[in-house]
Amino acid sequence: MTIPIKQIKLRKVEMKLLDPFTTSFGTFQERDFFIVEAIDGEGNIGYGESVAFHSPWYAEETVKTNEHVIEDFLIPLLRDNTINHPDDVYEIFKPIRRHNMAKAAVEGAIWDLYAKRKNISLAEALGGERKQIDVGISLGIEPTVEALLANVKKYVEKGYKRIKIKIKPGFDVDVLREVRKHFPDTQIMADANSAYTLDDIEHLQQLDDLNLTMVEQPLAHDDIVDHADLQAAMKTPICLDESIHSLEDTKKAIKLGSCKIINIKIGRVGGLSESKRIHDYCKEHGIDVWCGGMLEAGVGRAHNIAITTLSNFTLPGDTAESSRYWEKDIIDPAVEVENGVITVPDKPGIGYDIDHEALEKFTVNVKTFDL
Ligand code: OSB
Ligand code: MG
């Protein structure tokens, strides 16, 4: 059965995080992105959210490249092809190299539309099993260790299952040692966002004394070779984020021994279908996965929740509750975390309604494309 998409809407949205979020490569507070609507003309609308940032710091894509690629390349490909199942979209977009976040935003809207037309939840459409998912939280670099400790305390008390701490040279081993001292029993991990090189091997080996669940992306964003050397020299499991863009990358990283864990971000790997393939491959090869975050608003957050219901998402992800990011989210209800757990919605599609009033308020422009 084909999915008859009549129209695509590209809605530019501008929001602002409640608090600035600092990583080794920069600080975020303004958050602009696109909400993609896939409309079937029978009253169903599927929603996707683009996750590229304003500047190409984390990855090469930006909000502007997402718009360019969606408008000028992906929508024309949708016009020229028939979609029988959302899995077809990845193949249809294949002539376009990379631009995974642009592709994932459109594919995500089509997955949501597909699930809504079948009257099933997106989680069920993806083959997810969990009704509840465990979540952790990612905490940014703070000006002082005291400020970070206060943040850790706040979210440990709220019940988050694992605390991720952003690190960079000069804010790393000593800081983590201090956090570990105050929180001896908490699942703690670190994320370096590519701030180190193999010259730092001895420095990074000190992390092995801190009982960290993993260290995420310590080395270059485009490396899987040096990570294999580092993993061989460390007890702490390495998790890859930036380096993994596809199932192919996943296979090579596992073959080389570059990591023991993979962070799956739907946008970074080009969509839900590829996320599912990476998940399945990792499951067969004994590699745990978890769902990363891109400071998403409600639509992207709902997609993250749906993919996390798959069985090999065994580690808590970065999908924190809406109120950790936004004064007002664009979905109703907002995402809520209770004792570190999100109850997966069972309504059709992404499972949350759009808060149209909030979405309208944050919308700066809408472009409509007939297919
Ligand atoms: O590396 O996972 C990352 C935020 C911005 C860019 C990269 C990353 C992050 C996070 C935050 O860690 C995850 C979230 O809370 O959405
Ligand atoms: Mg990361």
Side-chain angles (χ1 to χ4, degrees), residues 207-259:
L207 298 176
D208 281 346
D209 298 332
L210 301 175
N211 189 25
L212 303 180
T213 312
M214 70 194 91
V215 57
E216 184 178 344
Q217 197 72 34
L219 308 180
H221 71 91
D222 54 356
D223 168 76
I224 54 172
V225 175
D226 287 355
H227 277 101
D229 286 355
L230 181 63
Q231 182 66 90
M234 284 184 83
K235 278 200 320 243
T236 308
I238 291 177
C239 168
L240 290 179
D241 172 357
E242 281 91 331
S243 300
I244 302 293
H245 301 274
S246 62
L247 175 61
E248 269 310 303
D249 289 349
T250 305
K251 289 181 178 174
K252 285 165 189 158
I254 293 174
K255 189 170 167 185
L256 289 173
S258 318
C259 64

Side-chain angles (χ1 to χ4, degrees), residues 164 166 191 193 216 241-242 263 265:
K164 167 166 134 182
K166 292 289 193 182
D191 185 0
N193 289 109
E216 184 178 344
D241 172 357
E242 281 91 331
N263 162 336
K265 289 182 182 174

Side-chain angles (χ1 to χ4, degrees), residues 11-15 33 35 37 47 299 328-331 354-364:
R11 180 185 287 270
K12 173 85 185 288
V13 179
E14 287 179 7
M15 291 175 72
F33 56 91
I35 292 295
E37 299 180 22
Y47 293 92
V299 169
K328 181 90 187 78
D329 205 340
I330 57 171
I331 52 168
I354 298 298
D355 182 333
H356 291 284
E357 199 183 309
L359 182 58
E360 222 30 81
K361 198 178 114 197
F362 299 124
T363 297
V364 291

Side-chain angles (χ1 to χ4, degrees), residues 87-95 277:
D87 281 336
D88 299 345
V89 178
Y90 189 87
E91 285 304 312
I92 291 170
F93 288 167
K94 223 167 194 175
R277 285 188 285 268

Side-chain angles (χ1 to χ4, degrees), residues 308-333:
T308 304
T309 62
L310 271 62
S311 61
N312 196 41
F313 280 83
T314 47
L315 295 159
D318 276 347
T319 311
E321 63 196 338
S322 296
S323 63
R324 181 259 187 286
Y325 308 86
W326 317 112
E327 193 178 315
K328 181 90 187 78
D329 205 340
I330 57 171
I331 52 168
D332 181 39

